[in-house]
């Protein structure tokens, strides 16, 4: 377990939910909401690193609101006038929800069913551990280097961390063999995420065959994959992209089955009649 | 109401008006001062010189260095030993006052809360103000001096920054009148600062806070 230097807060006690606990941090250890933290707990005689996620952050000690009465006068000036030390006085109370510890036998998260004791030191979950255990990659140890694994799609990194600090690799088989829906609000990057997934699936390590229906014309740039250096495998693999735009789509009457013709005729007759 | 000190304001700690002398104390920071009357000194303090919220100081020499222990009048009390001991009134028409008694024993006591300390410099002004609790105990019969506004302003400027770091202790000692004594001090400081000084705004915020807390405590809001 990491030394005291990496400790970012101390557990204060249980929270409202059975899987929730509350901890306190000083202001200089800025913890973002959504951050992954870890603590050690003995499970079956073995120390386990339990992961938890910060869900809320509130100020429990700080300068009173009355010091903010005048926008032109900073609260720290008022505090200095009254001889109140304003450096590092803020204390934050954070709520975290336990995710569990990574059970290497079950290759998934297991709930320790016990909250950390008050006073337990908490650390930021190390990047490489999160990379290994956060998506269900079925790693047998938490030390596995996920970039070495076959058939994983690198979809990005955690926003809470530094750029490219904690890279998230999703097993392609997991979502390609079943269903995948990307749900988010407009403009948040659903199409971009889909493009990233497509690109990852086209890499030499995955070599998927894909058919993209693109009524909005969003994925035209994917044709750049063909011939791009990073997509070429050592064994000569090179993805082929065939791009059909509306002008290119021609259907010969002679290629249609009778049923197809009937369907077209039936539809146009309906349109004529209306 | 005119007197020499009013006309020629001075920051000379030796020419400040004597207000009274210490007669007892309630705690390490809370002293009782008997205000000088006509017969106690050459120039007893005028009423406005010993008013509520008036900063005062007591000179103390500690380890060879002369210090000014700063304080403020946060309360006053009238004492009349004769009260309740009214004998037969002997006054006659031709002699308006014949009340054998101890008129001279009627005194005004002032409560003085200590705020901090400063050193007295060779040019008889103060320097190095500190709003920490004074560690030294004052003595009975120590003379308490009226602190002119110039010295008050100096005492409240620590490292170029306006400060009233004693405020929590003062609120504790002054009790119910804590807010009022602080507001009185703030008003005094305001008058020593130019109108457009940024510290005026800071004082506004501090005053607002203190007032609001007092209103809350007294159940007004």
């Amino acid at each position: 377990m990491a030394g005291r230097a990496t400790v970012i807060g101390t557990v204060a006690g249980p929270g409202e939910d059975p899987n929730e606990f509350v901890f306190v941090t000083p202001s200089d250890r800025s913890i973002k909401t959504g951050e992954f933290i870890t603590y050690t707990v003995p499970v079956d005689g073995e120390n386990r690193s339990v992961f938890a996620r910060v869900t809320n952050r509130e100020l429990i000690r700080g300068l009173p609101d009355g010091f903010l009465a005048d926008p032109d006068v900073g609260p720290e000036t008022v505090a200095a006038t009254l001889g109140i030390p304003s450096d590092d006085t803020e204390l934050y109370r954070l709520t975290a929800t336990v995710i569990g510890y990574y059970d290497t036998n079950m290759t998934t998260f297991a709930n320790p069913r016990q909250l950390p004791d008050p006073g337990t030191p908490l650390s930021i979950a190390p990047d490489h551990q999160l990379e290994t255990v956060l998506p269900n990659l079925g790693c047998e140890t938490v030390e596995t280097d996920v970039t070495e694994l076959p058939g994983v799609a690198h979809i990005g990194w955690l926003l809470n961390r530094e750029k490219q600090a904690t890279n998230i690799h999703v097993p392609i088989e997991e979502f390609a063999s079943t269903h995948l829906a990307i749900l988010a609000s407009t403009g948040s990057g659903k199409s971009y995420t889909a493009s990233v997934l497509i690109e990852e699936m086209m890499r030499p390590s995955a070599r998927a065959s894909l058919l993209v229906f693109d009524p909005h014309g969003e994925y035209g740039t994917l044709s750049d994959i063909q011939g791009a250096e990073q997509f070429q495998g050592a064994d000569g693999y090179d993805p082929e992209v065939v791009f059909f735009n509306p002008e290119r789509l021609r259907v010969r009457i002679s290629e249609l089955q009778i049923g197809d013709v009937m369907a077209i005729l039936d539809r146009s007759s309906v349109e004529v009649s209306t | 109401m005119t007197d020499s000190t009013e006309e020629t304001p001075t920051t000379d700690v030796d020419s400040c008006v004597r207000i009274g002398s210490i007669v007892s104390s309630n705690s390490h920071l809370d002293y009782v001062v008997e205000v000088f009357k006509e017969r106690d000194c050459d120039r007893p303090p005028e009423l406005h010189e010993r008013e509520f919220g008036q900063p005062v100081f007591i000179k103390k020499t500690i380890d060879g260095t002369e210090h000014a222990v700063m304080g403020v009048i946060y309360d006053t009390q009238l004492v009349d030993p004769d009260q309740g001991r009214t004998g037969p009134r002997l006054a006659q028409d031709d002699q308006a006052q014949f009340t054998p008694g101890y008129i001279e024993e009627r005194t005004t006591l002032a409560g003085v809360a200590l705020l901090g300390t400063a050193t007295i410099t060779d040019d008889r002004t103060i320097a190095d103000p500190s709003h920490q609790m004074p560690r030294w105990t004052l003595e009975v019969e120590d003379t308490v001096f009226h602190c002119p506004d110039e010295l008050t302003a100096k005492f409240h400027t620590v490292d170029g920054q306006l400060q009233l770091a004693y405020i929590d202790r003062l609120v504790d000692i002054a009790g119910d009148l804590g807010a009022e004594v602080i507001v009185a001090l703030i008003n005094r400081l305001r008058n020593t600062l130019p109108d457009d000084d940024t510290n005026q705004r800071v004082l506004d915020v501090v005053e607002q806070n203190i007032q609001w807390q007092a209103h809350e405590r007294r159940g007004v809001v």
Side-chain angles (χ1 to χ4, degrees):
Chain A
M1 191 59 215
R4 195 82 198 176
T6 59
V7 171
I8 47 102
T10 310
V11 174
E16 288 175 8
D17 275 19
N19 282 328
E20 212 171 68
F21 64 91
V22 171
F23 68 102
V24 173
T25 60
S27 58
D28 60 334
R29 312 278 171 92
S30 177
I31 316 283
K32 295 172 183 166
T33 308
E35 181 60 271
F36 291 91
I37 52 172
T38 179
Y39 60 92
T40 311
V41 77
V43 176
D44 300 333
E46 199 179 334
N47 274 345
R48 300 283 196 172
S49 286
V50 178
F51 291 88
R53 193 154 194 216
V54 178
T55 50
N56 193 23
R57 173 177 155 109
E58 56 186 313
L59 188 68
I60 51 167
R61 190 181 75 188
L63 297 176
D65 293 353
F67 286 14
L68 316 172
D70 187 340
D72 288 342
V73 177
E76 63 288 339
T77 316
V78 182
T81 303
L82 298 180
I84 301 166
S86 55
D87 295 338
D88 303 332
T89 45
E90 286 97 0
L91 276 187
Y92 289 92
R93 178 191 181 89
L94 290 93
T95 314
T97 306
V98 173
I99 301 171
Y101 63 90
Y102 191 75
D103 190 327
T104 45
N105 296 328
M106 290 164 65
T107 63
T108 184
F109 277 107
N111 193 334
R113 300 194 194 286
Q114 66 184 72
L115 290 171
D117 293 331
T120 304
L122 296 163
S123 312
I124 295 274
D127 291 328
H128 71 272
Q129 268 191 33
L130 279 181
E131 287 181 0
T132 315
V133 301
L134 212 48
N136 195 356
L137 294 168
C139 297
E140 285 175 6
T141 73
V142 290
E143 307 298 329
T144 310
D145 184 1
V146 290
T147 52
E148 306 276 302
L149 293 176
V152 290
H154 175 216
I155 56 163
W157 53 88
L158 288 187
L159 282 177
N160 290 325
R161 303 283 173 100
E162 302 251 315
K163 214 173 173 182
Q164 301 194 349
T166 314
N167 292 296
I168 298 299
H169 295 80
V170 178
I172 291 174
E173 198 188 331
E174 286 273 319
F175 63 82
S177 62
T178 54
H179 311 284
L180 173 72
I182 303 170
L183 305 175
S185 51
T186 309
S188 54
K190 293 184 295 296
S191 302
Y192 184 79
T193 310
S195 303
V196 169
L197 284 173
I198 292 168
E199 280 180 15
E200 289 296 311
M201 290 165 80
M202 296 307 290
R203 282 186 188 279
S205 56
R207 306 188 182 189
S209 300
L210 287 168
L211 179 61
V212 179
F213 291 95
D214 182 19
H216 299 298
E218 292 167 315
Y219 299 98
T221 52
L222 284 177
S223 51
D224 296 347
I225 289 177
Q226 187 166 346
E229 203 176 314
Q230 69 264 38
F231 287 94
Q232 287 170 352
D235 57 351
Y237 167 80
D238 186 10
E240 186 186 350
V241 179
V242 184
F243 186 56
F244 292 90
N245 57 19
E247 284 75 40
R248 209 178 145 184
L249 285 174
R250 297 263 192 281
V251 181
R252 286 173 196 276
I253 287 279
S254 59
E255 287 177 359
L256 295 177
Q257 303 285 324
I258 189 72
D260 300 333
V261 178
M262 287 303 287
I264 294 167
L265 285 178
D266 188 38
R267 192 165 158 235
S268 41
S269 68
V270 171
E271 276 170 8
V272 168
S273 67
T274 50
Chain B
M1 291 290 268
T2 54
D3 58 67
S4 56
T5 48
E6 280 265 302
E7 282 156 11
T8 51
T10 174
T11 52
D12 186 343
V13 291
D14 296 325
S15 57
C16 291
V17 175
R18 289 151 198 266
I19 285 182
S21 68
I22 292 173
V23 289
S24 72
S25 75
N26 298 319
S27 79
H28 182 72
L29 294 175
D30 183 4
Y31 288 83
V32 180
V33 175
E34 185 177 340
V35 176
F36 285 149
K37 294 186 294 290
E38 289 296 336
R39 306 214 175 146
D40 295 327
C41 65
D42 302 342
R43 155 82 168 78
E46 303 270 347
L47 195 54
H48 72 275
E49 286 168 335
R50 55 175 176 87
E51 64 187 5
F52 180 84
Q54 171 65 51
V56 297
F57 67 88
I58 299 100
K59 285 190 252 182
K60 274 275 155 204
T61 303
I62 289 111
D63 206 14
T65 315
E66 213 178 348
H67 285 83
V69 177
M70 310 296 289
V72 65
I73 296 179
Y74 73 89
D75 200 7
T76 60
Q77 204 177 8
L78 302 177
V79 178
D80 177 8
D82 269 354
Q83 201 244 327
R85 289 201 278 135
T86 341
R89 185 166 288 272
L90 302 174
Q92 309 274 323
D93 285 343
D94 57 338
Q95 193 176 14
Q97 193 182 40
F98 185 74
T99 45
Y102 311 93
I103 295 173
E104 282 302 307
E105 285 183 17
R106 288 180 183 168
T107 50
T108 305
L109 299 180
V112 166
L114 300 191
L115 305 178
T117 54
T119 49
I120 297 175
T121 56
D122 292 339
D123 54 354
R124 311 314 289 163
T125 182
I126 60 166
D128 303 328
S130 158
H131 292 200
Q132 301 288 316
M133 186 182 90
R135 281 166 293 155
W136 317 301
T137 315
L138 305 180
E139 311 280 335
V140 170
E141 290 195 350
D142 272 351
T143 306
V144 176
F145 293 88
H146 167 268
C147 180
D149 287 350
E150 293 88 334
L151 291 183
T152 306
K154 265 191 183 167
F155 174 65
H156 286 91
T157 311
V158 181
D159 300 331
Q161 153 91 40
L162 184 78
Q163 249 192 29
L164 300 98
Y166 50 73
I167 211 156
D168 45 352
R169 293 197 304 271
L170 181 54
V171 169
D172 251 17
I173 297 167
D176 284 345
L177 295 177
E180 277 68 24
V181 69
I182 288 160
V183 170
L185 277 170
I186 287 176
N187 286 336
R188 213 170 270 273
L189 283 172
R190 259 207 200 105
N191 294 335
T192 66
L193 294 170
D195 280 347
D196 54 351
D197 196 296
T198 49
N199 282 324
Q200 296 274 13
R201 307 284 289 270
V202 178
L203 287 174
D204 284 345
V205 176
V206 174
E207 183 184 343
Q208 251 179 43
N209 268 291
I210 291 289
Q211 298 264 38
W212 188 260
Q213 281 161 17
H215 288 321
E216 272 184 334
R217 199 178 58 244
R218 292 167 185 164
V220 180
V221 286

